C-alpha cells in the first residue's frame, strides 16, 4: 500500500473506534481480517498512525478545527511524522487511493496556529477534568509531564540475571539502537521507532526463548527493585497479574526464599507458568484462591501490591484509554486501592515491609491513598523515599519524589519511563 491507502485505512479504524467504543487492538485486527491484502509493513504503519492520532487527539482537532478522522490523521502526519504540507501533497500525488485533503496552503495555516492559545487540557492532550490532578501531582511542570505522556514509548527489556548478564544479552540482541537503561541495573532499552516503522520483535529472538530477558518497562523494573526483596526472604506478590514484578524479584532473590504470587483473578496468573519455566525460576508458588493465603498472615518479610489503577502512567502505550477515563472510573479504583491495601497489610510480619505501586500519576491513587492507609493503620510507618532511591538506584541521581515527598513518582518526562508511583511502609515491631 502507498501512503494514501494507509491514510484511508487509519481514518476507517478511527471512525470504527469512535462509533463502537472498543479497544484499539480489536479494531485493528478486524480491519486486517477484512483487508488481507495489506502486508505486515502496512499494518504496522496503520497501527502507528492510529495510535499517534489518539496520543494527541485533542490538540490535533483544535489545530485542524475538525474532529473528523481524516483531519486527525492529516494532523498526525504533519506534526508527528515530519511531513510538511508540500511534501505530503507530493507524496499523495498520483495515488488513486489517496483521500482528498485540504490544500497545502490551508494546511499550513491550520497547523501554524499557536497552540498556546488553546485551553490547557488541549495543550496537554489530556481529559479536561484531569488538569487539576496533574497540577497537584507535578506543580509547575505539569504541562510538560502531560505532553510527555503523548509520545511513543520505547521497548524495555529486563535481563534475567538467573541466566545471563546485560552485556551478553546486548551483544546478541538484534534490535537497532539497543542500549543500557538509565536507572534499572538490568535493563535494556530499544528506542521507539519513528513514522511507519514497527518496533523490534524482541520476543522472536532466540535469547528470549532461552529465558535471557523479559519485556518490562524500566519503571516497572525499578518498582520491583525498590521493593527490596532479598535472598532467603518470604515475599507475597499480592496482585501478581502476569508476573513481571514476580520474576524480577525472583532474580533479585537469586532463586532462594519464596515468592507467593496471588491475584484475585486467577486467570491472570496463567501466563506466568510458561514465563517461570522459561526464566528458570524455582522460588515462586502460585496461589489461585484467597483461601490459600491464610497460612501467610503475619509471616511475610515483604508484601508487594501492584494495585489496580486507572493506568494513566501507561497512556503512551494505551492512548485510547486516556479518552475513556472518567471520574467514576477513578473513584472506583480508589475504593479498590483502599481495600487491597488493608487486606495485604495483614500479611506483613512485625518489622516487615509493605510496598504499594501503581502505574498512575494521579495523586488520588497515590499519595492520597497512602496517607489514608496510614490513618487507618497506625502500626505502619513510611520509609524515606529518597533513601530508598539512593540505596537501590544511586546517590548520584536525584530521587523523583512525589509532591508530598513520601513516595516516588516516575514519569516519561522525569525518568524516561512509564508513569509509576511507589511508597514503602514498615510494620512497627
Amino acid at each position: 500500500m502507498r501512503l494514501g491507502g494507509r491514510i484511508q485505512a487509519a481514518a476507517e479504524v478511527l471512525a470504527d473506534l469512535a462509533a463502537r467504543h472498543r479497544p484499539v487492538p480489536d479494531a485493528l485486527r478486524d480491519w486486517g481480517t477484512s483487508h488481507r491484502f495489506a502486508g505486515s509493513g502496512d499494518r504496522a504503519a496503520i497501527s502507528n498512525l492510529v495510535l499517534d492520532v489518539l496520543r494527541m487527539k485533542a490538540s490535533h482537532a483544535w489545530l485542524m478545527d475538525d474532529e473528523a478522522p481524516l483531519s486527525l490523521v492529516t494532523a498526525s502526519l504533519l506534526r508527528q511524522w515530519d511531513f510538511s504540507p508540500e511534501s505530503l501533497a507530493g507524496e499523495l500525488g498520483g495515488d488513486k487511493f489517496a483521500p482528498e485533503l485540504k490544500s497545502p496552503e490551508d494546511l499550513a495555516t491550520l497547523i501554524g496556529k499557536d497552540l498556546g492559545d488553546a485551553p490547557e487540557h488541549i495543550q496537554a492532550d489530556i481529559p479536561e477534568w484531569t488538569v487539576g490532578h496533574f497540577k497537584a501531582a507535578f506543580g509547575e511542570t505539569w504541562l510538560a509531564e502531560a505532553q510527555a505522556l503523548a509520545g511513543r514509548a520505547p521497548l524495555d527489556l529486563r535481563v534475567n540475571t538467573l541466566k545471563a548478564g546485560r552485556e551478553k544479552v546486548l551483544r546478541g540482541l538484534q534490535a537497532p539502537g539497543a542500549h543500557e537503561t538509565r536507572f534499572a541495573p538490568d535493563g535494556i532499552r530499544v528506542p521507539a521507532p519513528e513514522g511507519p516503522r514497527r518496533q523490534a520483535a524482541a520476543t522472536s529472538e532466540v535469547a528470549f526463548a532461552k529465558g535471557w530477558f523479559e519485556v518490562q518497562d524500566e519503571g516497572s523494573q525499578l518498582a520491583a527493585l525498590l521493593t527490596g526483596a532479598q535472598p532467603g526472604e518470604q515475599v507475597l506478590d499480592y496482585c501478581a497479574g502476569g508476573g513481571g514484578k514476580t520474576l524480577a524479584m525472583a532474580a533479585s532473590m537469586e532463586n532462594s526464599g519464596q515468592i507467593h504470587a496471588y491475584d484475585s483473578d486467577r486467570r491472570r496468573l496463567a501466563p506466568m507458568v510458561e514465563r517461570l519455566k522459561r526464566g528458570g525460576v524455582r522460588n515462586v508458588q502460585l496461589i489461585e484462591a484467597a483461601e490459600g493465603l491464610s497460612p501467610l498472615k503475619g509471616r511475610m518479610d515483604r508484601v508487594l501490591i501492584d494495585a489496580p489503577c486507572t493506568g494513566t502512567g501507561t497512556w503512551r502505550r494505551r492512548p485510547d484509554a486516556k479518552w475513556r477515563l472518567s471520574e467514576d472510573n477513578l473513584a472506583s479504583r480508589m475504593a479498590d486501592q483502599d481495600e487491597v491495601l488493608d487486606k495485604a497489610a495483614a500479611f506483613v510480619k512485625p518489622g516487615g515491609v509493605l510496598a504499594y505501586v501503581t502505574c498512575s500519576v494521579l495523586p488520588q491513587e497515590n499519595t492520597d491513598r497512602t496517607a489514608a492507609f496510614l490513618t487507618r493503620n497506625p502500626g505502619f510507618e513510611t520509609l524515606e523515599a529518597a533513601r530508598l532511591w539512593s540505596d537501590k538506584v544511586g546517590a548520584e541521581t536525584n530521587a523523583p519524589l512525589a509532591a508530598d515527598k513520601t513516595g516516588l513518582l516516575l514519569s516519561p518526562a522525569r525518568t524516561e519511563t512509564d508513569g509509576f508511583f511507589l511508597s514503602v511502609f514498615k510494620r512497627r515491631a
Side-chain angles (χ1 to χ4, degrees), residues 101-124:
L101 304 183
K102 293 180 172 66
S103 70
E105 295 76 19
D106 288 343
L107 289 177
T109 298
L110 292 168
I111 296 299
K113 290 159 58 179
D114 185 357
L115 193 60
D117 294 333
E120 289 181 323
H121 71 283
I122 299 294
Q123 297 179 50

PDB file of all heavy atoms in Angstrom, residues 101-124:
ATOM      1  N   LEU A 101      -7.352  15.783   0.482  1.00  0.00           N
ATOM      2  CA  LEU A 101      -7.009  16.594   1.649  1.00  0.00           C
ATOM      3  C   LEU A 101      -7.121  18.078   1.309  1.00  0.00           C
ATOM      4  O   LEU A 101      -7.249  18.461   0.154  1.00  0.00           O
ATOM      5  CB  LEU A 101      -5.576  16.286   2.100  1.00  0.00           C
ATOM      6  CG  LEU A 101      -5.231  14.821   2.414  1.00  0.00           C
ATOM      7  CD1 LEU A 101      -3.796  14.728   2.925  1.00  0.00           C
ATOM      8  CD2 LEU A 101      -6.201  14.232   3.422  1.00  0.00           C
ATOM      9  N   LYS A 102      -7.068  18.896   2.345  1.00  0.00           N
ATOM     10  CA  LYS A 102      -7.042  20.336   2.145  1.00  0.00           C
ATOM     11  C   LYS A 102      -5.773  20.713   1.391  1.00  0.00           C
ATOM     12  O   LYS A 102      -4.797  19.970   1.347  1.00  0.00           O
ATOM     13  CB  LYS A 102      -7.099  21.060   3.494  1.00  0.00           C
ATOM     14  CG  LYS A 102      -8.420  20.904   4.244  1.00  0.00           C
ATOM     15  CD  LYS A 102      -8.365  21.667   5.560  1.00  0.00           C
ATOM     16  CE  LYS A 102      -9.743  21.680   6.236  1.00  0.00           C
ATOM     17  NZ  LYS A 102     -10.167  20.329   6.670  1.00  0.00           N
ATOM     18  N   SER A 103      -5.767  21.892   0.808  1.00  0.00           N
ATOM     19  CA  SER A 103      -4.607  22.354   0.045  1.00  0.00           C
ATOM     20  C   SER A 103      -3.421  22.574   0.979  1.00  0.00           C
ATOM     21  O   SER A 103      -3.599  22.807   2.189  1.00  0.00           O
ATOM     22  CB  SER A 103      -4.935  23.670  -0.662  1.00  0.00           C
ATOM     23  OG  SER A 103      -5.066  24.719   0.285  1.00  0.00           O
ATOM     24  N   PRO A 104      -2.196  22.498   0.454  1.00  0.00           N
ATOM     25  CA  PRO A 104      -1.022  22.767   1.294  1.00  0.00           C
ATOM     26  C   PRO A 104      -1.097  24.126   1.981  1.00  0.00           C
ATOM     27  O   PRO A 104      -0.668  24.274   3.125  1.00  0.00           O
ATOM     28  CB  PRO A 104       0.147  22.703   0.305  1.00  0.00           C
ATOM     29  CG  PRO A 104      -0.323  21.758  -0.763  1.00  0.00           C
ATOM     30  CD  PRO A 104      -1.804  22.043  -0.902  1.00  0.00           C
ATOM     31  N   GLU A 105      -1.650  25.113   1.302  1.00  0.00           N
ATOM     32  CA  GLU A 105      -1.754  26.449   1.895  1.00  0.00           C
ATOM     33  C   GLU A 105      -2.697  26.445   3.090  1.00  0.00           C
ATOM     34  O   GLU A 105      -2.387  27.012   4.152  1.00  0.00           O
ATOM     35  CB  GLU A 105      -2.236  27.462   0.855  1.00  0.00           C
ATOM     36  CG  GLU A 105      -1.277  27.700  -0.304  1.00  0.00           C
ATOM     37  CD  GLU A 105      -1.277  26.564  -1.319  1.00  0.00           C
ATOM     38  OE1 GLU A 105      -2.258  25.760  -1.338  1.00  0.00           O
ATOM     39  OE2 GLU A 105      -0.297  26.464  -2.093  1.00  0.00           O
ATOM     40  N   ASP A 106      -3.832  25.776   2.944  1.00  0.00           N
ATOM     41  CA  ASP A 106      -4.789  25.714   4.049  1.00  0.00           C
ATOM     42  C   ASP A 106      -4.220  24.903   5.219  1.00  0.00           C
ATOM     43  O   ASP A 106      -4.401  25.278   6.390  1.00  0.00           O
ATOM     44  CB  ASP A 106      -6.101  25.089   3.580  1.00  0.00           C
ATOM     45  CG  ASP A 106      -6.897  26.009   2.679  1.00  0.00           C
ATOM     46  OD1 ASP A 106      -6.615  27.224   2.674  1.00  0.00           O
ATOM     47  OD2 ASP A 106      -7.812  25.519   1.976  1.00  0.00           O
ATOM     48  N   LEU A 107      -3.541  23.814   4.891  1.00  0.00           N
ATOM     49  CA  LEU A 107      -2.958  23.002   5.961  1.00  0.00           C
ATOM     50  C   LEU A 107      -1.879  23.779   6.713  1.00  0.00           C
ATOM     51  O   LEU A 107      -1.787  23.696   7.943  1.00  0.00           O
ATOM     52  CB  LEU A 107      -2.367  21.719   5.382  1.00  0.00           C
ATOM     53  CG  LEU A 107      -3.367  20.671   4.885  1.00  0.00           C
ATOM     54  CD1 LEU A 107      -2.635  19.484   4.275  1.00  0.00           C
ATOM     55  CD2 LEU A 107      -4.280  20.202   6.024  1.00  0.00           C
ATOM     56  N   ALA A 108      -1.076  24.527   5.999  1.00  0.00           N
ATOM     57  CA  ALA A 108      -0.026  25.320   6.642  1.00  0.00           C
ATOM     58  C   ALA A 108      -0.630  26.348   7.596  1.00  0.00           C
ATOM     59  O   ALA A 108      -0.100  26.593   8.690  1.00  0.00           O
ATOM     60  CB  ALA A 108       0.837  26.003   5.590  1.00  0.00           C
ATOM     61  N   THR A 109      -1.746  26.947   7.179  1.00  0.00           N
ATOM     62  CA  THR A 109      -2.410  27.931   8.037  1.00  0.00           C
ATOM     63  C   THR A 109      -2.938  27.277   9.310  1.00  0.00           C
ATOM     64  O   THR A 109      -2.778  27.804  10.420  1.00  0.00           O
ATOM     65  CB  THR A 109      -3.567  28.596   7.276  1.00  0.00           C
ATOM     66  OG1 THR A 109      -3.042  29.283   6.137  1.00  0.00           O
ATOM     67  CG2 THR A 109      -4.306  29.579   8.167  1.00  0.00           C
ATOM     68  N   LEU A 110      -3.559  26.115   9.157  1.00  0.00           N
ATOM     69  CA  LEU A 110      -4.136  25.433  10.311  1.00  0.00           C
ATOM     70  C   LEU A 110      -3.051  24.954  11.285  1.00  0.00           C
ATOM     71  O   LEU A 110      -3.115  25.227  12.489  1.00  0.00           O
ATOM     72  CB  LEU A 110      -4.973  24.240   9.852  1.00  0.00           C
ATOM     73  CG  LEU A 110      -6.264  24.582   9.097  1.00  0.00           C
ATOM     74  CD1 LEU A 110      -6.848  23.336   8.448  1.00  0.00           C
ATOM     75  CD2 LEU A 110      -7.282  25.213  10.049  1.00  0.00           C
ATOM     76  N   ILE A 111      -2.062  24.246  10.771  1.00  0.00           N
ATOM     77  CA  ILE A 111      -1.015  23.695  11.631  1.00  0.00           C
ATOM     78  C   ILE A 111      -0.140  24.801  12.217  1.00  0.00           C
ATOM     79  O   ILE A 111       0.477  24.637  13.273  1.00  0.00           O
ATOM     80  CB  ILE A 111      -0.155  22.681  10.847  1.00  0.00           C
ATOM     81  CG1 ILE A 111      -1.015  21.494  10.419  1.00  0.00           C
ATOM     82  CG2 ILE A 111       1.016  22.179  11.666  1.00  0.00           C
ATOM     83  CD1 ILE A 111      -1.633  20.725  11.593  1.00  0.00           C
ATOM     84  N   GLY A 112      -0.111  25.946  11.573  1.00  0.00           N
ATOM     85  CA  GLY A 112       0.701  27.061  12.046  1.00  0.00           C
ATOM     86  C   GLY A 112       0.077  27.850  13.173  1.00  0.00           C
ATOM     87  O   GLY A 112       0.704  28.787  13.694  1.00  0.00           O
ATOM     88  N   LYS A 113      -1.141  27.508  13.561  1.00  0.00           N
ATOM     89  CA  LYS A 113      -1.776  28.216  14.678  1.00  0.00           C
ATOM     90  C   LYS A 113      -0.960  28.026  15.954  1.00  0.00           C
ATOM     91  O   LYS A 113      -0.271  27.017  16.129  1.00  0.00           O
ATOM     92  CB  LYS A 113      -3.206  27.693  14.883  1.00  0.00           C
ATOM     93  CG  LYS A 113      -4.166  28.093  13.768  1.00  0.00           C
ATOM     94  CD  LYS A 113      -5.377  27.194  13.712  1.00  0.00           C
ATOM     95  CE  LYS A 113      -6.174  27.166  14.989  1.00  0.00           C
ATOM     96  NZ  LYS A 113      -7.377  26.280  14.863  1.00  0.00           N
ATOM     97  N   ASP A 114      -1.042  28.989  16.857  1.00  0.00           N
ATOM     98  CA  ASP A 114      -0.314  28.939  18.123  1.00  0.00           C
ATOM     99  C   ASP A 114      -1.092  28.100  19.122  1.00  0.00           C
ATOM    100  O   ASP A 114      -2.150  28.509  19.604  1.00  0.00           O
ATOM    101  CB  ASP A 114      -0.109  30.354  18.663  1.00  0.00           C
ATOM    102  CG  ASP A 114       0.745  30.374  19.931  1.00  0.00           C
ATOM    103  OD1 ASP A 114       1.132  29.292  20.413  1.00  0.00           O
ATOM    104  OD2 ASP A 114       1.006  31.489  20.440  1.00  0.00           O
ATOM    105  N   LEU A 115      -0.555  26.911  19.445  1.00  0.00           N
ATOM    106  CA  LEU A 115      -1.240  26.024  20.380  1.00  0.00           C
ATOM    107  C   LEU A 115      -1.327  26.636  21.776  1.00  0.00           C
ATOM    108  O   LEU A 115      -2.184  26.259  22.583  1.00  0.00           O
ATOM    109  CB  LEU A 115      -0.510  24.676  20.441  1.00  0.00           C
ATOM    110  CG  LEU A 115      -1.243  23.519  21.115  1.00  0.00           C
ATOM    111  CD1 LEU A 115      -2.564  23.214  20.417  1.00  0.00           C
ATOM    112  CD2 LEU A 115      -0.359  22.275  21.142  1.00  0.00           C
ATOM    113  N   GLY A 116      -0.477  27.601  22.055  1.00  0.00           N
ATOM    114  CA  GLY A 116      -0.539  28.291  23.333  1.00  0.00           C
ATOM    115  C   GLY A 116      -1.833  29.045  23.549  1.00  0.00           C
ATOM    116  O   GLY A 116      -2.156  29.426  24.686  1.00  0.00           O
ATOM    117  N   ASP A 117      -2.584  29.289  22.481  1.00  0.00           N
ATOM    118  CA  ASP A 117      -3.879  29.957  22.603  1.00  0.00           C
ATOM    119  C   ASP A 117      -4.992  28.984  22.975  1.00  0.00           C
ATOM    120  O   ASP A 117      -6.116  29.412  23.261  1.00  0.00           O
ATOM    121  CB  ASP A 117      -4.244  30.647  21.282  1.00  0.00           C
ATOM    122  CG  ASP A 117      -3.302  31.796  20.942  1.00  0.00           C
ATOM    123  OD1 ASP A 117      -2.733  32.382  21.880  1.00  0.00           O
ATOM    124  OD2 ASP A 117      -3.127  32.082  19.747  1.00  0.00           O
ATOM    125  N   ALA A 118      -4.695  27.706  22.940  1.00  0.00           N
ATOM    126  CA  ALA A 118      -5.712  26.685  23.228  1.00  0.00           C
ATOM    127  C   ALA A 118      -5.911  26.539  24.729  1.00  0.00           C
ATOM    128  O   ALA A 118      -5.037  26.890  25.533  1.00  0.00           O
ATOM    129  CB  ALA A 118      -5.287  25.347  22.626  1.00  0.00           C
ATOM    130  N   PRO A 119      -7.052  26.007  25.155  1.00  0.00           N
ATOM    131  CA  PRO A 119      -7.258  25.709  26.581  1.00  0.00           C
ATOM    132  C   PRO A 119      -6.177  24.753  27.097  1.00  0.00           C
ATOM    133  O   PRO A 119      -5.560  24.004  26.331  1.00  0.00           O
ATOM    134  CB  PRO A 119      -8.642  25.053  26.608  1.00  0.00           C
ATOM    135  CG  PRO A 119      -9.320  25.557  25.375  1.00  0.00           C
ATOM    136  CD  PRO A 119      -8.238  25.706  24.342  1.00  0.00           C
ATOM    137  N   GLU A 120      -5.985  24.763  28.403  1.00  0.00           N
ATOM    138  CA  GLU A 120      -4.885  23.996  28.991  1.00  0.00           C
ATOM    139  C   GLU A 120      -4.963  22.497  28.667  1.00  0.00           C
ATOM    140  O   GLU A 120      -3.954  21.870  28.349  1.00  0.00           O
ATOM    141  CB  GLU A 120      -4.868  24.182  30.515  1.00  0.00           C
ATOM    142  CG  GLU A 120      -4.420  25.559  30.965  1.00  0.00           C
ATOM    143  CD  GLU A 120      -4.399  25.687  32.472  1.00  0.00           C
ATOM    144  OE1 GLU A 120      -5.295  25.110  33.126  1.00  0.00           O
ATOM    145  OE2 GLU A 120      -3.494  26.353  33.011  1.00  0.00           O
ATOM    146  N   HIS A 121      -6.159  21.927  28.743  1.00  0.00           N
ATOM    147  CA  HIS A 121      -6.260  20.482  28.507  1.00  0.00           C
ATOM    148  C   HIS A 121      -5.979  20.126  27.051  1.00  0.00           C
ATOM    149  O   HIS A 121      -5.512  19.021  26.761  1.00  0.00           O
ATOM    150  CB  HIS A 121      -7.633  19.964  28.932  1.00  0.00           C
ATOM    151  CG  HIS A 121      -8.759  20.386  28.043  1.00  0.00           C
ATOM    152  ND1 HIS A 121      -9.306  21.652  28.085  1.00  0.00           N
ATOM    153  CD2 HIS A 121      -9.443  19.709  27.076  1.00  0.00           C
ATOM    154  CE1 HIS A 121     -10.283  21.732  27.193  1.00  0.00           C
ATOM    155  NE2 HIS A 121     -10.388  20.582  26.573  1.00  0.00           N
ATOM    156  N   ILE A 122      -6.220  21.074  26.146  1.00  0.00           N
ATOM    157  CA  ILE A 122      -5.902  20.850  24.733  1.00  0.00           C
ATOM    158  C   ILE A 122      -4.389  20.851  24.541  1.00  0.00           C
ATOM    159  O   ILE A 122      -3.827  19.992  23.846  1.00  0.00           O
ATOM    160  CB  ILE A 122      -6.556  21.931  23.855  1.00  0.00           C
ATOM    161  CG1 ILE A 122      -8.084  21.904  23.991  1.00  0.00           C
ATOM    162  CG2 ILE A 122      -6.134  21.763  22.401  1.00  0.00           C
ATOM    163  CD1 ILE A 122      -8.732  20.659  23.456  1.00  0.00           C
ATOM    164  N   GLN A 123      -3.716  21.828  25.146  1.00  0.00           N
ATOM    165  CA  GLN A 123      -2.257  21.861  25.059  1.00  0.00           C
ATOM    166  C   GLN A 123      -1.636  20.591  25.640  1.00  0.00           C
ATOM    167  O   GLN A 123      -0.635  20.087  25.139  1.00  0.00           O
ATOM    168  CB  GLN A 123      -1.721  23.067  25.823  1.00  0.00           C
ATOM    169  CG  GLN A 123      -2.163  24.423  25.289  1.00  0.00           C
ATOM    170  CD  GLN A 123      -1.602  25.555  26.117  1.00  0.00           C
ATOM    171  OE1 GLN A 123      -0.392  25.605  26.385  1.00  0.00           O
ATOM    172  NE2 GLN A 123      -2.458  26.472  26.551  1.00  0.00           N
ATOM    173  N   ALA A 124      -2.249  20.068  26.700  1.00  0.00           N
ATOM    174  CA  ALA A 124      -1.705  18.905  27.393  1.00  0.00           C
ATOM    175  C   ALA A 124      -2.117  17.586  26.762  1.00  0.00           C
ATOM    176  O   ALA A 124      -1.524  16.548  27.047  1.00  0.00           O
ATOM    177  CB  ALA A 124      -2.156  18.927  28.851  1.00  0.00           C
TER     178      ALA A 124
END
